[in-house]
Amino acid sequence: MSDFALEANLVELYSQVHQGVVTIYAYTDLGPPHPEDLPAGQGSGFVIDQQGHIVTNQHVVQGATQLEVDFASGHKAWAEVLGVDPDSDLAVLQVSVPPEALVPLPLGDSASVQVGDFVVAIGNPFGLSGSMTVGVVSAIGRVLQSERQTPEGRPFSAGGLIQTDAAINPGNSGGPLLNLQGQVVGVNRAIRTEDFTVTGSAANSGVGFAVPVNILRRVVPSLIEQGSYDYPYLGISSLDGGLNLVQLEALGLPADTTGAYITCLVAGGPAAQAGLLGGSSCDDPELRTGGDLVIAINGQTVETFSDLLSYLITQTGVGEEVTLTVLRDGQTVDVQVTLAPRP
């Protein structure tokens, strides 16, 4: 695509979708320094249907006593929180507004997203509503900590996230990440940065993360109907990235080994009940031998823990039986595990 064609495409894209993107203001009753007539926080969101449902991040609405939704048309409305999902950091709001104020954004397919794809973020960075930034998909399948903790006090993992260099800043949270066809492929969630503004806000460093839309497709209907969503759960801990050479040597594995090494099992969890093996107890921080190395799930290759987590979140559900192929004592073993909900 030529520079002129890309420019024309971006202009047309913005004109089609920006009215479906909203600004969200969160009011609290915390008292000074938060006057009751001024919002204590702000974020972004977008309309998904003609019934007045709006998707945003859970952390945008957390702790709010009132939520104001401002539309590009100038219309403003109070919103009700229908449900939140701290694992994916998603929330669904309900507003009552005239039908003409609702411009639902089409949902794409995050499974088709590839590194190098152009993407567009539209939102409310630093209160500048309707701002558009452009970048590329930098990586897929990233893992971040969940907003929810295990009963033992450790954070669950949120997987399958899209990494982008499109500028995402405070206030963009909850806004859409779109492809060049104007379809939502992700929900902007977080940035990784070492730089901060004079007010202490995180500053964009070219590393942003978005919840893939295929997770939204699973989670949002349940939030609307039930107010919550249950994630499939194995009950294992693993290393976030791939195994480095020091770790491979410590485990006695060849240098070209890939997979998700089970460092420990949650007692009584689905993986433990199925007979999978962990290297040590979850209270032991040392990397120890003896754990299973997961190399496939339902026949799909697992090269890192993020591959396993992404498959679980996007392809399976609570109560389903999955087949984990593991490397154990140099032998390949298939283990059937029935998935439970995250505790």
Side-chain angles (χ1 to χ4, degrees), residues 142-143 238-244 247 259-261 303-306:
R142 294 303 197 198
V143 176
S238 184
L239 304 170
D240 284 346
L243 294 163
N244 63 41
Q247 293 165 337
Y261 181 72
E303 295 189 350
T304 64
F305 177 58
S306 64

Side-chain angles (χ1 to χ4, degrees), residues 241-243 257-261 293-296 300-308:
L243 294 163
T257 301
T258 58
Y261 181 72
L293 181 74
V294 182
I295 57 175
Q300 298 293 311
T301 300
V302 171
E303 295 189 350
T304 64
F305 177 58
S306 64
D307 294 336
L308 176 61

